[in-house]
Amino acid sequence: MEMKDRLEALIQEQPILLFTKGNKMFPRCGFSKAVIEVFQELAVPFETVDIFEHEDIKPALVSISDWPTTPQIFLGGEFVGGGDLVRELHARGELRGMVDQVLANAEG
């Protein structure tokens, strides 16, 4: 299976998926750390994919999202945006509702 296919399958499987530099336990850039902290603050289950794990991840991800930078956030299989947008949605109180809806759909 090609990397793009593997990533697309993972995006559909995981209700909340963050593509980051590093992972939950060891973020490797400030933007990734900030986004991870947002989801930790929301106290919801989420997964991360470290784009440094394999050289094919980043180009495959860009071909899926058409977004050149990392982090990238997917909720319910849909690309939401990058770190700035997600932090902005969180600051306005909008991210909580989006996350709750995704988790409710995943359970149902």
Side-chain angles (χ1 to χ4, degrees), residues 15-71:
I16 302 172
L17 185 61
L18 291 71
F19 287 88
T20 55
K21 294 177 180 173
N23 58 44
K24 286 189 226 189
M25 303 306 288
F26 188 65
R28 294 173 61 184
C29 89
F31 296 110
S32 292
K33 182 176 190 274
V35 168
I36 289 167
E37 287 173 348
V38 163
F39 286 92
Q40 288 172 333
E41 184 179 317
L42 291 173
V44 295
F46 67 96
E47 295 300 325
T48 59
V49 173
D50 181 354
I51 65 160
F52 294 140
E53 282 181 7
H54 193 280
E55 65 186 19
D56 292 344
I57 291 176
K58 177 83 185 247
L61 179 61
V62 170
S63 74
I64 292 167
S65 65
D66 198 28
W67 192 265
T69 60
T70 307

Side-chain angles (χ1 to χ4, degrees), residues 80 84-96 98:
V80 174
D84 290 342
L85 177 61
V86 168
R87 289 195 323 263
E88 184 179 313
L89 288 168
H90 181 56
R92 292 194 316 239
E94 296 174 25
L95 185 61
R96 166 56 73 185
M98 295 168 70

